[in-house]
Amino acid sequence: MTDKDVSKVKRKGTFKSAPLPVEAHTGVVLAGDELVKVAVAALEDVKAQDIQVIDVREKQSITDYMIIATGTSNRQIGAMLDKVREAVKAQGVKPLGEEGKGDSDWVLLDMDDVIVHMMTASARQFYDLERLWAGAEQSRSASAAHHSPENTHEHFTKLNKDQQ
């Protein structure tokens, strides 16, 4: 085969190769505490409400921290998800998975050491993850008084009475 023949072969079809590997993040991988700070800052940036961090290291081995935040609408919850995902990716963390995208009242972002739950107020009160993980070390923002056990919403008080 001559050089002329080789150049014809090279020009004739296009060959698709596998995508080039993405350069791995060479920085320090964020530990759970730092990842929590990045996620909370991202949630605060999009005006998430009642952000609560629960340390579950002593309760189970799936994750170290759970972050629970409330959004005022499904659209805001979507914005919260996008913002947290972008913030952690900028730090070199690739989320393991996402659940509940779209019109869901509850969206979850799994980053291995940290799981972020983003919910509407009604879904948050219905599922009551804070009570589920009661006894785990919790930290709550100052604006969280409306979710405290002392301030139960009226329809849930009635529901509890009806069940007794």
Side-chain angles (χ1 to χ4, degrees):
M1 196 187 240
T2 65
D3 288 339
K4 187 175 183 183
D5 294 333
V6 171
S7 66
K8 284 182 184 177
V9 171
K10 286 183 181 176
R11 282 190 226 144
K12 274 195 170 178
T14 56
F15 298 97
K16 292 187 178 180
S17 62
L20 294 173
V22 177
E23 187 176 322
H25 180 72
T26 57
V28 177
V29 177
L30 294 181
D33 295 338
E34 291 86 19
L35 191 54
V36 166
K37 290 176 187 174
V38 170
V40 167
L43 290 167
E44 288 173 344
D45 195 38
V46 288
K47 309 292 188 231
Q49 300 173 353
D50 192 10
I51 301 168
Q52 183 174 2
V53 178
I54 304 174
D55 183 344
V56 293
R57 289 179 287 194
E58 300 296 319
K59 296 289 185 180
Q60 49 76 43
S61 62
I62 297 172
T63 190
D64 292 343
Y65 296 95
M66 289 191 189
I67 301 173
I68 305 171
T70 302
T72 57
S73 67
N74 294 352
R75 178 174 276 182
Q76 184 188 17
I77 291 172
M80 291 162 56
L81 173 66
D82 292 342
K83 188 68 172 183
V84 173
R85 187 185 324 115
E86 289 171 13
V88 298
K89 280 187 178 180
Q91 297 296 319
V93 176
K94 184 177 179 186
L96 298 178
E98 300 173 4
E99 294 293 329
K101 293 183 273 187
D103 275 346
S104 182
D105 288 346
W106 182 359
V107 175
L108 179 140
L109 183 64
D110 183 355
M111 297 176 288
D112 194 28
D113 290 344
V114 179
I115 296 177
V116 183
H117 300 272
M118 296 159 273
M119 314 166 100
T120 60
S122 59
R124 184 168 180 172
Q125 188 162 20
F126 180 79
Y127 292 106
D128 199 8
L129 295 179
E130 293 89 343
R131 188 174 57 134
L132 176 67
W133 292 104
E137 185 180 324
Q138 298 182 18
S139 66
R140 179 172 247 161
S141 66
S143 65
H146 67 280
H147 279 291
S148 65
E150 298 83 31
N151 190 5
T152 309
H153 291 279
E154 185 178 306
H155 63 278
F156 285 101
T157 304
K158 183 179 183 283
L159 178 67
N160 288 337
K161 285 180 184 177
D162 291 344
Q163 289 178 351
Q164 293 173 353

